[in-house]
Amino acid sequence: MSKLACSDRWLLRASFVVSGVALSAIAVSASSPAAANDVPTLAAVSTPTSVLQAAQLASAPMELRSYYAYYGGQPLWITAGGALNPAAKVLLKLVQTAHYDEIDPANLNADLLSSAIDRAEADPSPTNLTDAEVLLSSALVGYEKALLQHQNAGMTYEHGNLQPYLPDAQAMLRAAATSGSLTDYISQMRWMHPLYAPLREALVAEGAAPTGTSDAVVKNLERLRAIPRSPASRYVLVDAANARLYMYEGDSVVDSMRVVVGKPETPTPMLAGYIRYAIFNPYWKVPTDLVGKRIVPSVIKLGQPYFKRQGYEVVTDWSDGATLIDPTSIDWHAVSRGDKEVKVRQLPGGANAMGKVKFEFPNAFGIYLHDTPEKDLLKEGSRQFSNGCIRLEDAQRLGRWLLGSSMPATVSSTPEQRLDLAQPVPVYVTYLTAHIEAGQIAMTADPYLRDVVKTKELALQTN
């Protein structure tokens, strides 16, 4: 014991029963006086042999030793009866099938882990159990790191806080240890977004290598890895592939609605931001390309009455104090040719493309959630009709949820009235073509052909 204290400065204590014999040991830092007072004398230990062997723990990676030291050497993967927890086999299966997560199982020492589990089950000696314990903890930490550090699948984040969070090894193991059921924690992959494990499990159950249709599922898993498990106590998830919005509280969907998203030629990007405020009576600030495509031809054909009837204005810039420009002074033919650029906005009102309210989450793409006067489009099965922004089936309902209170009953006609949320709400705009229905994978449309791109990439890598 003194040799261990001099070399690694760890004293070990664990408490559990093996073959009906109570064993005791603790792992604490010898440099901590408060912890050292807890160390029992050798006479208090019922047997000099511990299931978690000190020398083996001392050679484990430092991040694991810190965990076991903090928790008094208590094993995570060994039951009170001195056998491996069933969760060990669940983790092994995840590691062995990590190629579905685009991770090489060899990088997680899958074969070494499998052999250690087999030895511990055949001969549950302290040495074999400690080997398995260390390798299992190491595999869990390595697997979580590989998943959470993965590529962002094309997701653009407004802020780093919106990205998946990577805790340290001690926090990872502590979450597993305090989960209530280690088997459930591992099988449900509770460090990932709730949609991840069911989709992955169904894919693995099919027993096919990731080719063909399953390529698309692998791509969907990649997109889900770009979303944290719990971005906040409340957050919004928009699935552009199925044109649907979900309101999450914790791990549960509490409401959802149809939305209209971008056309294939103007797809809604995958992005994450914070919804910070609502704008009532919004202007529609017409994108430059749409001025040329939608407005200029009608102005040339129908004249200025069309421009006024639609509530359009030409402005110097997008600021609140922008100066109006007389539309009759504009050479619209030059605008049509691309020789001149103008800024056009549409006044609030019945024809305004933004409807009565929009919800802003600042981003480089100019995307936002907004009301719409074109309700008929929301009845369509496929709802990719916009120029990228997200039109809401029920902006009032979403607003009540976001604000945590009723939407303002009366709003004056003043344009661009801002109402800040008490707390910003994260929004994740993703693209999911694979879902679980009755325990089976159900594929939906791929309007932006993003799954096709993935299939081509895999084919090129294979060849």
Side-chain angles (χ1 to χ4, degrees):
M1 197 70 170
S2 59
K3 180 179 179 181
L4 176 62
C6 291
S7 59
D8 289 275
R9 302 187 62 77
W10 302 103
L11 300 174
L12 300 171
R13 183 178 72 186
S15 296
F16 37 86
V17 176
V18 179
S19 302
V21 180
L23 301 178
S24 226
I26 181 170
V28 295
S29 172
S31 62
S32 170
N37 291 334
D38 251 353
V39 179
T41 63
L42 289 178
V45 180
S46 58
T47 173
T49 305
S50 169
V51 168
L52 292 186
Q53 297 294 286
Q56 289 168 275
L57 283 181
S59 63
M62 175 59 76
E63 58 185 7
L64 299 189
R65 280 187 284 161
S66 297
Y67 165 78
Y68 287 106
Y70 187 83
Y71 281 97
Q74 297 294 323
L76 175 59
W77 303 93
I78 303 170
T79 68
L84 285 182
N85 190 301
K89 285 291 188 69
V90 179
L91 178 60
L92 175 61
K93 184 177 179 181
L94 290 178
V95 168
Q96 290 174 328
T97 58
H99 52 279
Y100 289 105
D101 309 294
E102 299 180 280
I103 300 167
D104 187 349
N107 292 339
L108 301 173
N109 296 315
D111 292 342
L112 190 62
L113 178 63
S114 179
S115 297
I117 290 174
D118 287 344
R119 285 195 303 273
E121 289 184 329
D123 175 16
S125 67
T127 297
N128 289 343
L129 286 171
T130 303
D131 276 343
E133 172 81 23
V134 171
L135 283 170
L136 283 161
S137 291
S138 182
L140 179 59
V141 169
Y143 185 45
E144 286 193 36
K145 284 183 177 180
L147 286 166
L148 298 174
Q149 288 178 327
H150 223 280
Q151 64 270 23
N152 61 15
M155 179 79 74
T156 299
Y157 302 92
E158 174 200 338
H159 193 280
N161 288 345
L162 292 160
Q163 299 180 36
Y165 170 68
L166 181 63
D168 60 26
Q170 186 173 142
M172 292 178 185
L173 296 173
R174 184 167 63 246
T178 59
S179 62
S181 169
L182 183 59
T183 300
D184 289 347
Y185 181 81
I186 301 298
S187 64
Q188 295 168 15
M189 299 179 71
R190 291 185 190 162
W191 57 92
M192 303 299 291
H193 190 275
L195 294 175
Y196 193 87
L199 183 60
R200 185 193 189 281
E201 182 180 5
L203 176 60
V204 174
E206 291 182 351
T211 58
T213 300
S214 59
D215 287 350
V217 184
V218 170
K219 187 64 174 176
N220 277 262
L221 290 174
E222 181 183 340
R223 294 171 194 139
L224 286 171
R225 288 196 294 274
I227 305 172
R229 173 174 181 81
S230 299
S233 59
R234 301 190 308 148
Y235 67 97
V236 172
L237 181 70
V238 177
D239 176 6
N242 291 277
R244 195 157 193 94
L245 177 148
Y246 301 89
M247 289 162 259
Y248 273 84
E249 293 182 5
D251 289 345
S252 302
V253 175
V254 296
D255 199 357
S256 69
M257 67 178 64
R258 294 184 172 200
V259 294
V260 169
V261 295
K263 299 187 292 286
E265 57 268 30
T266 55
T268 299
M270 291 190 292
L271 72 162
Y274 286 106
I275 303 173
R276 301 175 185 274
Y277 53 87
I279 297 289
F280 295 91
N281 295 332
Y283 289 118
W284 179 36
K285 299 170 183 177
V286 187
T288 301
D289 62 322
L290 293 186
V291 172
K293 292 177 183 178
R294 292 177 51 173
I295 297 177
V296 173
S298 296
V299 172
I300 292 174
K301 181 179 179 180
L302 303 174
Q304 294 301 321
Y306 162 82
F307 199 81
K308 183 176 182 180
R309 184 170 64 250
Q310 295 298 317
Y312 291 127
E313 295 178 332
V314 181
V315 291
T316 53
D317 54 66
W318 298 130
S319 69
D320 294 338
T323 301
L324 297 180
I325 298 174
D326 184 352
T328 62
S329 68
I330 302 295
D331 182 351
W332 293 102
H333 290 281
V335 177
S336 179
R337 293 192 302 269
D339 297 335
K340 182 179 178 62
E341 184 176 298
V342 294
K343 289 181 170 59
V344 176
R345 71 185 182 192
Q346 189 179 33
L347 291 167
N352 186 282
M354 297 292 101
K356 297 178 181 179
V357 62
K358 68 177 179 178
F359 303 97
E360 292 273 16
F361 56 105
N363 60 84
F365 303 96
I367 301 296
Y368 33 78
L369 306 163
H370 66 87
D371 189 16
T372 175
E374 298 181 287
K375 299 297 186 182
D376 286 347
L377 294 180
L378 287 155
K379 299 176 183 177
E380 298 290 335
S382 297
R383 296 181 295 279
Q384 286 77 29
F385 297 113
S386 82
N387 294 290
C389 282
I390 301 160
R391 307 177 192 175
L392 301 166
E393 177 183 13
D394 192 338
Q396 294 292 315
R397 194 166 90 233
L398 176 62
R400 289 192 296 270
W401 183 79
L402 288 172
L403 295 169
S405 62
S406 299
M407 293 279 277
T410 57
V411 178
S412 73
S413 59
T414 304
E416 298 281 304
Q417 295 183 65
R418 172 169 168 163
L419 179 61
D420 290 337
L421 273 62
Q423 182 73 32
V425 175
V427 55
Y428 288 83
V429 183
T430 188
Y431 185 84
L432 302 175
T433 58
H435 303 265
I436 297 299
E437 294 181 5
Q440 303 294 318
I441 296 174
M443 300 301 299
T444 56
D446 179 17
Y448 300 160
L449 301 181
R450 289 174 179 168
D451 293 343
V452 173
V453 172
K454 177 64 179 179
T455 302
K456 290 180 178 178
E457 289 174 353
L458 289 177
L460 287 173
Q461 292 172 7
T462 302
N463 296 330

